Amino acid sequence: QAVSVLIQVLENADQEPMVRHEAGEALGAIGSAETVDILRKYSKDPVVEVAETCELALERIKWLQDPDHHKEKLSTNPYASVDPAPPTLLTDVPKLKEILLNDGASLFERYRAMFALRNLRTGDAVSVLSSALTCGGALFRHEVAFVLGQLQDETSVPYLRRSLEDASENEMVRHECAEALGAIGSDDCYQILNRYLTDDKRVVKESCEIAFDMCEY
Ligand SMILES: [Fe+2]
């Protein structure tokens, strides 16, 4: 039932890319083999963020289907979220950084490095992730912002701020930066978000409103 509703949303080209992305991502999280054909179809969608989301979902399902995946000793995700990719087994920060920032690596591999860095939760990991906020495509950057919101480390605030303030940045990325600032919730975050409550992009404005309320809370 949920799957068919999610497929309808994904198929609706009139729907906002961000909403179609969420639907595709949810299908990846459910990880059912029956959705492979539909995901394959939309992995060629003209909207890049939608296509990349479906590509990631397909890779995750492929990984789940590999009978050996249980043998991988994955680091624990402290946030209990279903991530679009499992963490890679590497723990060496310079190596993880190299993969994360490599435009030639597959998105799935880069995501695996991203979640491995997040699970480390060290200052070095946060600084590598912060530097990735200006790399790769919009989908990649929005996921980096999401992960920084989970980490809630104040050292990432200037980076999140820069992306939120960049009016030419993709809305999905700016939305995720606003949410991350709301999750961090320091005085600085409060001030930054306060200035964007009147942004002319509706998604940015509404994200800041919600994030601002989170700060106050
Ligand atoms: Fe997302």
Side-chain angles (χ1 to χ4, degrees):
Q1 181 64 42
V3 168
S4 63
V5 175
L6 291 167
I7 290 174
Q8 274 173 36
V9 176
L10 177 64
E11 287 182 317
N12 183 359
D14 296 331
Q15 188 62 263
E16 292 280 339
M18 191 147 84
V19 179
R20 295 180 67 207
H21 149 74
E22 293 299 338
E25 193 165 71
L27 289 172
I30 294 168
S32 157
E34 290 147 46
T35 57
V36 164
D37 288 344
I38 200 90
L39 288 167
R40 208 168 271 148
K41 178 174 172 199
Y42 288 96
S43 69
K44 293 174 186 71
D45 197 271
V47 180
V48 184
E49 296 91 84
V50 172
E52 289 182 342
T53 302
C54 293
E55 177 195 321
L56 283 165
L58 282 169
E59 286 299 320
R60 181 168 187 274
I61 293 172
K62 201 159 93 189
W63 179 80
L64 286 171
Q65 285 175 338
D66 177 354
D68 286 340
H69 87 265
H70 294 290
K71 291 183 199 147
E72 292 186 21
K73 289 207 168 46
L74 301 180
S75 56
T76 325
N77 169 5
Y79 304 100
S81 48
V82 180
D83 298 319
T88 176
L89 304 177
L90 298 170
T91 52
D92 181 63
V93 173
K95 271 198 197 115
L96 289 168
K97 178 179 182 177
E98 204 182 296
I99 303 168
L100 185 74
L101 304 183
N102 180 3
D103 283 323
S106 78
L107 200 55
F108 192 68
E109 282 310 312
R110 296 177 80 178
Y111 267 50
R112 294 199 69 173
M114 192 192 308
F115 293 112
L117 283 161
R118 181 206 55 197
N119 292 355
L120 285 175
R121 292 205 282 179
T122 60
D124 279 354
V126 172
S127 117
V128 169
L129 288 164
S130 297
S131 70
L133 258 187
T134 50
C135 297
L139 189 78
F140 175 82
R141 293 197 301 276
H142 112 289
E143 199 67 27
V144 171
F146 176 77
V147 161
L148 288 172
Q150 288 186 314
L151 284 162
Q152 296 181 19
D153 190 304
E154 281 192 44
T155 60
S156 64
V157 170
Y159 300 88
L160 292 164
R161 173 190 181 165
R162 194 171 56 192
S163 295
L164 172 65
E165 291 184 340
D166 179 0
S168 66
E169 177 55 289
N170 179 288
E171 282 181 29
M172 259 172 88
V173 181
R174 297 181 72 202
H175 153 79
E176 221 51 76
C177 288
E179 297 234 308
L181 289 166
I184 297 168
S186 66
D187 281 348
D188 267 0
C189 298
Y190 193 83
Q191 303 298 336
I192 298 162
L193 291 166
N194 194 18
R195 276 186 275 123
Y196 285 86
L197 295 175
T198 51
D199 197 88
D200 35 311
K201 291 227 172 96
R202 190 174 148 206
V203 188
V204 175
K205 180 182 164 297
E206 288 180 356
S207 308
C208 289
E209 278 167 8
I210 295 165
F212 189 75
D213 288 344
M214 273 163 72
C215 276
E216 284 201 307
Y217 178 78

